[in-house]
Amino acid sequence: MLSAEEWEIVLLSLKVSVVGVGLMLPLAFALAWLLARVRFPGKVLVDAVVHLPLVVPPVVTGWLLLIAFGGNGPVGSWLDRTFGITLMFRWTGAALAAAIMALPLMVRAMRLSLEAVDTRLENAARTLGAGPWRAFLTITLPLSLPGILAGAVLGFARSIGEFGATITFVSNIPGETRTLPLAIYSALQMPDGDAMVARLAGISVALSLVALVASELLARRFGTRGGSHVL
């Protein structure tokens, strides 16, 4: 049975992951569409930058967020002056860190789904009088929807497990930024924290497993057309 503190950690982790993925979803889809459908100079570089969080140490990503979104950073100071928004040491900053770390997986799944859509269907719709937006909304978007959902679920699973960038950017504050991985790390430092570690680790594994199975099932829907899987 979870204690009130553990329930707070679980609910905070879910909030951080859902908000982070929700905010990143439009950008992830735009990047996926750009990489799947458009040829432009520097495309390889853009692709590499999108996938950079997968290969650089998460601490480096957190440090870069600190430089950009910290109190004296160019983006952080602008947000504070203009909108009164502060991300450092707040759960919103944890959501941003989780979203950045989830972005490559989201883009990859969505890009695979877009590449699996037969462009001849879009061309046929245009020859029948549909404009680019109508062809996109009636052909491209519905056919790529399973991949979009799979990318979002995969991003959620990655966000649940985010640790390095979060602790570097927003620290480990109980009730504000202490998500499941940070709470497990803190409990490991406690002499009597074994039971809490076991409970939180079990919840973390269960949430991630359900998300991964859901994303794979969704991926198979478009994988049967395009022969691709996100896992």
Side-chain angles (χ1 to χ4, degrees):
M1 189 69 181
L2 298 181
S3 65
E5 179 190 2
E6 291 165 349
W7 273 115
E8 183 183 54
I9 291 167
V10 173
L11 293 176
L12 177 63
S13 299
L14 293 174
K15 181 170 71 171
V16 164
S17 299
V18 170
V19 170
V21 169
L23 290 176
M24 193 56 71
L25 198 59
L27 176 62
F29 183 75
L31 287 169
W33 184 86
L34 189 70
L35 294 171
R37 295 299 178 85
V38 183
R39 293 182 179 181
F40 58 92
K43 182 176 178 177
V44 173
L45 180 60
V46 172
D47 198 5
V49 170
V50 167
H51 290 85
L52 205 56
L54 283 180
V55 293
V56 300
V59 173
V60 174
T61 302
W63 176 73
L64 292 173
L65 288 173
L66 198 61
I67 296 297
F69 291 90
N72 296 321
V75 183
S77 58
W78 176 77
L79 287 174
D80 192 17
R81 286 196 312 272
T82 308
F83 303 106
I85 296 175
T86 302
L87 297 177
M88 281 189 66
F89 310 123
R90 303 288 176 82
W91 72 269
T92 47
L96 175 64
I100 293 294
M101 297 304 295
L103 179 65
L105 295 178
M106 295 173 68
V107 171
R108 182 170 183 269
M110 294 177 190
R111 181 179 179 180
L112 288 173
S113 71
L114 286 167
E115 289 175 344
V117 175
D118 191 344
T119 55
R120 290 175 297 183
L121 295 174
E122 299 170 356
N123 295 332
R126 291 191 183 186
T127 59
L128 294 175
W133 274 108
R134 187 173 180 185
F136 172 78
L137 292 174
T138 58
I139 303 294
T140 310
L141 191 59
L143 290 178
S144 60
L145 189 59
I148 296 171
L149 295 176
V153 175
L154 205 57
F156 172 81
R158 179 64 187 84
S159 298
I160 283 288
E162 165 49 30
F163 177 82
T166 302
I167 198 170
T168 306
F169 181 40
V170 295
S171 189
N172 183 6
I173 304 172
E176 186 65 39
T177 65
R178 181 170 290 178
T179 54
L180 276 168
L182 276 64
I184 293 171
Y185 172 77
S186 300
L188 283 170
Q189 316 303 313
M190 300 162 55
D192 56 347
D194 290 348
M196 184 177 183
V197 169
R199 288 192 294 270
L200 295 181
I203 292 172
S204 182
V205 170
L207 287 173
S208 300
L209 189 62
V210 169
L212 287 172
V213 170
S215 67
E216 181 61 17
L217 291 176
L218 287 166
R220 288 184 181 182
R221 290 195 59 183
F222 69 82
T224 55
R225 294 193 298 268
S228 302
H229 296 268
V230 296
L231 298 178

